[in-house]
PDB file of all heavy atoms in Angstrom:
ATOM      1  N   LEU A 296    -198.609 -27.455  32.821  1.00 90.00           N
ATOM      2  CA  LEU A 296    -197.256 -27.588  32.302  1.00 90.00           C
ATOM      3  C   LEU A 296    -197.267 -28.354  30.980  1.00 90.00           C
ATOM      4  O   LEU A 296    -196.588 -27.975  30.022  1.00 90.00           O
ATOM      5  CB  LEU A 296    -196.359 -28.290  33.332  1.00 90.00           C
ATOM      6  CG  LEU A 296    -194.873 -28.333  33.015  1.00 90.00           C
ATOM      7  CD1 LEU A 296    -194.295 -26.922  32.902  1.00 90.00           C
ATOM      8  CD2 LEU A 296    -194.147 -29.128  34.075  1.00 90.00           C
ATOM      9  N   ALA A 297    -198.058 -29.411  30.899  1.00 88.00           N
ATOM     10  CA  ALA A 297    -198.173 -30.177  29.657  1.00 88.00           C
ATOM     11  C   ALA A 297    -198.777 -29.324  28.551  1.00 88.00           C
ATOM     12  O   ALA A 297    -198.320 -29.351  27.404  1.00 88.00           O
ATOM     13  CB  ALA A 297    -199.006 -31.432  29.884  1.00 88.00           C
ATOM     14  N   LEU A 298    -199.805 -28.544  28.866  1.00 86.00           N
ATOM     15  CA  LEU A 298    -200.440 -27.691  27.866  1.00 86.00           C
ATOM     16  C   LEU A 298    -199.529 -26.558  27.416  1.00 86.00           C
ATOM     17  O   LEU A 298    -199.614 -26.105  26.270  1.00 86.00           O
ATOM     18  CB  LEU A 298    -201.765 -27.146  28.393  1.00 86.00           C
ATOM     19  CG  LEU A 298    -202.871 -28.185  28.505  1.00 86.00           C
ATOM     20  CD1 LEU A 298    -204.051 -27.628  29.280  1.00 86.00           C
ATOM     21  CD2 LEU A 298    -203.301 -28.673  27.126  1.00 86.00           C
ATOM     22  N   LEU A 299    -198.643 -26.107  28.282  1.00 87.00           N
ATOM     23  CA  LEU A 299    -197.665 -25.109  27.867  1.00 87.00           C
ATOM     24  C   LEU A 299    -196.810 -25.655  26.720  1.00 87.00           C
ATOM     25  O   LEU A 299    -196.440 -24.921  25.804  1.00 87.00           O
ATOM     26  CB  LEU A 299    -196.768 -24.700  29.037  1.00 87.00           C
ATOM     27  CG  LEU A 299    -197.371 -23.721  30.034  1.00 87.00           C
ATOM     28  CD1 LEU A 299    -196.483 -23.613  31.268  1.00 87.00           C
ATOM     29  CD2 LEU A 299    -197.579 -22.362  29.399  1.00 87.00           C
ATOM     30  N   TYR A 300    -196.526 -26.945  26.755  1.00 88.00           N
ATOM     31  CA  TYR A 300    -195.740 -27.557  25.684  1.00 88.00           C
ATOM     32  C   TYR A 300    -196.471 -27.452  24.347  1.00 88.00           C
ATOM     33  O   TYR A 300    -195.855 -27.314  23.300  1.00 88.00           O
ATOM     34  CB  TYR A 300    -195.437 -29.018  26.024  1.00 88.00           C
ATOM     35  CG  TYR A 300    -194.471 -29.641  25.052  1.00 88.00           C
ATOM     36  CD1 TYR A 300    -193.109 -29.389  25.137  1.00 88.00           C
ATOM     37  CD2 TYR A 300    -194.917 -30.478  24.037  1.00 88.00           C
ATOM     38  CE1 TYR A 300    -192.219 -29.946  24.246  1.00 88.00           C
ATOM     39  CE2 TYR A 300    -194.031 -31.042  23.136  1.00 88.00           C
ATOM     40  CZ  TYR A 300    -192.687 -30.771  23.253  1.00 88.00           C
ATOM     41  OH  TYR A 300    -191.791 -31.318  22.356  1.00 88.00           O
ATOM     42  N   LEU A 301    -197.787 -27.484  24.388  1.00 81.00           N
ATOM     43  CA  LEU A 301    -198.594 -27.371  23.176  1.00 81.00           C
ATOM     44  C   LEU A 301    -198.352 -26.048  22.461  1.00 81.00           C
ATOM     45  O   LEU A 301    -198.430 -25.971  21.246  1.00 81.00           O
ATOM     46  CB  LEU A 301    -200.083 -27.523  23.536  1.00 81.00           C
ATOM     47  CG  LEU A 301    -201.087 -27.512  22.404  1.00 81.00           C
ATOM     48  CD1 LEU A 301    -200.865 -28.704  21.483  1.00 81.00           C
ATOM     49  CD2 LEU A 301    -202.496 -27.552  22.977  1.00 81.00           C
ATOM     50  N   THR A 302    -198.022 -25.010  23.207  1.00 81.00           N
ATOM     51  CA  THR A 302    -197.812 -23.680  22.616  1.00 81.00           C
ATOM     52  C   THR A 302    -196.328 -23.335  22.487  1.00 81.00           C
ATOM     53  O   THR A 302    -195.970 -22.172  22.341  1.00 81.00           O
ATOM     54  CB  THR A 302    -198.532 -22.597  23.452  1.00 81.00           C
ATOM     55  OG1 THR A 302    -197.928 -22.522  24.747  1.00 81.00           O
ATOM     56  CG2 THR A 302    -200.011 -22.893  23.594  1.00 81.00           C
ATOM     57  N   LEU A 303    -195.472 -24.348  22.542  1.00 85.00           N
ATOM     58  CA  LEU A 303    -194.028 -24.163  22.464  1.00 85.00           C
ATOM     59  C   LEU A 303    -193.616 -23.452  21.173  1.00 85.00           C
ATOM     60  O   LEU A 303    -194.101 -23.779  20.090  1.00 85.00           O
ATOM     61  CB  LEU A 303    -193.345 -25.530  22.531  1.00 85.00           C
ATOM     62  CG  LEU A 303    -191.821 -25.551  22.483  1.00 85.00           C
ATOM     63  CD1 LEU A 303    -191.240 -24.898  23.726  1.00 85.00           C
ATOM     64  CD2 LEU A 303    -191.337 -26.980  22.349  1.00 85.00           C
ATOM     65  N   HIS A 304    -192.741 -22.457  21.289  1.00 86.00           N
ATOM     66  CA  HIS A 304    -192.176 -21.767  20.134  1.00 86.00           C
ATOM     67  C   HIS A 304    -190.816 -21.207  20.515  1.00 86.00           C
ATOM     68  O   HIS A 304    -190.469 -21.132  21.693  1.00 86.00           O
ATOM     69  CB  HIS A 304    -193.123 -20.660  19.630  1.00 86.00           C
ATOM     70  CG  HIS A 304    -193.349 -19.550  20.604  1.00 86.00           C
ATOM     71  ND1 HIS A 304    -192.626 -18.395  20.585  1.00 86.00           N
ATOM     72  CD2 HIS A 304    -194.199 -19.450  21.656  1.00 86.00           C
ATOM     73  CE1 HIS A 304    -193.032 -17.600  21.570  1.00 86.00           C
ATOM     74  NE2 HIS A 304    -193.984 -18.223  22.232  1.00 86.00           N
ATOM     75  N   ASP A 305    -190.014 -20.873  19.537  1.00 92.00           N
ATOM     76  CA  ASP A 305    -188.668 -20.334  19.763  1.00 92.00           C
ATOM     77  C   ASP A 305    -187.860 -21.206  20.719  1.00 92.00           C
ATOM     78  O   ASP A 305    -187.178 -20.707  21.607  1.00 92.00           O
ATOM     79  CB  ASP A 305    -188.727 -18.894  20.280  1.00 92.00           C
ATOM     80  CG  ASP A 305    -189.310 -17.937  19.263  1.00 92.00           C
ATOM     81  OD1 ASP A 305    -189.268 -18.224  18.050  1.00 92.00           O
ATOM     82  OD2 ASP A 305    -189.827 -16.894  19.691  1.00 92.00           O
ATOM     83  N   GLU A 306    -187.968 -22.500  20.596  1.00 90.00           N
ATOM     84  CA  GLU A 306    -187.206 -23.525  21.319  1.00 90.00           C
ATOM     85  C   GLU A 306    -187.597 -23.723  22.778  1.00 90.00           C
ATOM     86  O   GLU A 306    -187.636 -24.845  23.241  1.00 90.00           O
ATOM     87  CB  GLU A 306    -185.703 -23.272  21.229  1.00 90.00           C
ATOM     88  CG  GLU A 306    -185.170 -23.362  19.824  1.00 90.00           C
ATOM     89  CD  GLU A 306    -183.675 -23.200  19.747  1.00 90.00           C
ATOM     90  OE1 GLU A 306    -183.000 -23.261  20.789  1.00 90.00           O
ATOM     91  OE2 GLU A 306    -183.190 -23.006  18.647  1.00 90.00           O
ATOM     92  N   ALA A 307    -187.884 -22.669  23.524  1.00 91.00           N
ATOM     93  CA  ALA A 307    -188.181 -22.862  24.948  1.00 91.00           C
ATOM     94  C   ALA A 307    -189.155 -21.822  25.497  1.00 91.00           C
ATOM     95  O   ALA A 307    -189.148 -21.544  26.696  1.00 91.00           O
ATOM     96  CB  ALA A 307    -186.897 -22.859  25.769  1.00 91.00           C
ATOM     97  N   ARG A 308    -189.984 -21.241  24.637  1.00 90.00           N
ATOM     98  CA  ARG A 308    -190.977 -20.270  25.100  1.00 90.00           C
ATOM     99  C   ARG A 308    -192.365 -20.841  24.851  1.00 90.00           C
ATOM    100  O   ARG A 308    -192.570 -21.612  23.927  1.00 90.00           O
ATOM    101  CB  ARG A 308    -190.827 -18.937  24.379  1.00 90.00           C
ATOM    102  CG  ARG A 308    -189.510 -18.239  24.685  1.00 90.00           C
ATOM    103  CD  ARG A 308    -189.509 -16.800  24.214  1.00 90.00           C
ATOM    104  NE  ARG A 308    -190.362 -15.956  25.040  1.00 90.00           N
ATOM    105  CZ  ARG A 308    -189.999 -15.416  26.192  1.00 90.00           C
ATOM    106  NH1 ARG A 308    -188.823 -15.654  26.701  1.00 90.00           N
ATOM    107  NH2 ARG A 308    -190.826 -14.625  26.857  1.00 90.00           N
ATOM    108  N   ALA A 309    -193.313 -20.425  25.690  1.00 87.00           N
ATOM    109  CA  ALA A 309    -194.697 -20.871  25.539  1.00 87.00           C
ATOM    110  C   ALA A 309    -195.630 -19.726  25.926  1.00 87.00           C
ATOM    111  O   ALA A 309    -195.294 -18.903  26.775  1.00 87.00           O
ATOM    112  CB  ALA A 309    -194.967 -22.077  26.434  1.00 87.00           C
ATOM    113  N   TRP A 310    -196.776 -19.665  25.293  1.00 81.00           N
ATOM    114  CA  TRP A 310    -197.765 -18.628  25.620  1.00 81.00           C
ATOM    115  C   TRP A 310    -198.298 -18.869  27.017  1.00 81.00           C
ATOM    116  O   TRP A 310    -198.560 -19.998  27.416  1.00 81.00           O
ATOM    117  CB  TRP A 310    -198.896 -18.621  24.585  1.00 81.00           C
ATOM    118  CG  TRP A 310    -198.362 -18.362  23.220  1.00 81.00           C
ATOM    119  CD1 TRP A 310    -198.323 -19.237  22.179  1.00 81.00           C
ATOM    120  CD2 TRP A 310    -197.753 -17.151  22.746  1.00 81.00           C
ATOM    121  NE1 TRP A 310    -197.724 -18.648  21.093  1.00 81.00           N
ATOM    122  CE2 TRP A 310    -197.361 -17.366  21.406  1.00 81.00           C
ATOM    123  CE3 TRP A 310    -197.484 -15.913  23.309  1.00 81.00           C
ATOM    124  CZ2 TRP A 310    -196.737 -16.400  20.637  1.00 81.00           C
ATOM    125  CZ3 TRP A 310    -196.857 -14.947  22.538  1.00 81.00           C
ATOM    126  CH2 TRP A 310    -196.498 -15.190  21.227  1.00 81.00           C
ATOM    127  N   LYS A 311    -198.498 -17.798  27.772  1.00 74.00           N
ATOM    128  CA  LYS A 311    -198.847 -17.930  29.194  1.00 74.00           C
ATOM    129  C   LYS A 311    -200.291 -17.567  29.513  1.00 74.00           C
ATOM    130  O   LYS A 311    -200.573 -16.917  30.495  1.00 74.00           O
ATOM    131  CB  LYS A 311    -197.891 -17.114  30.063  1.00 74.00           C
ATOM    132  CG  LYS A 311    -197.911 -15.617  29.786  1.00 74.00           C
ATOM    133  CD  LYS A 311    -196.967 -14.910  30.737  1.00 74.00           C
ATOM    134  CE  LYS A 311    -197.055 -13.412  30.584  1.00 74.00           C
ATOM    135  NZ  LYS A 311    -196.176 -12.705  31.483  1.00 74.00           N
TER     136      LYS A 311
END
Side-chain angles (χ1 to χ4, degrees):
L296 188 61
L298 289 169
L299 282 169
Y300 188 78
L301 183 64
T302 65
L303 181 66
H304 64 95
D305 295 336
E306 296 184 13
R308 295 193 72 83
W310 301 112
K311 61 178 185 180

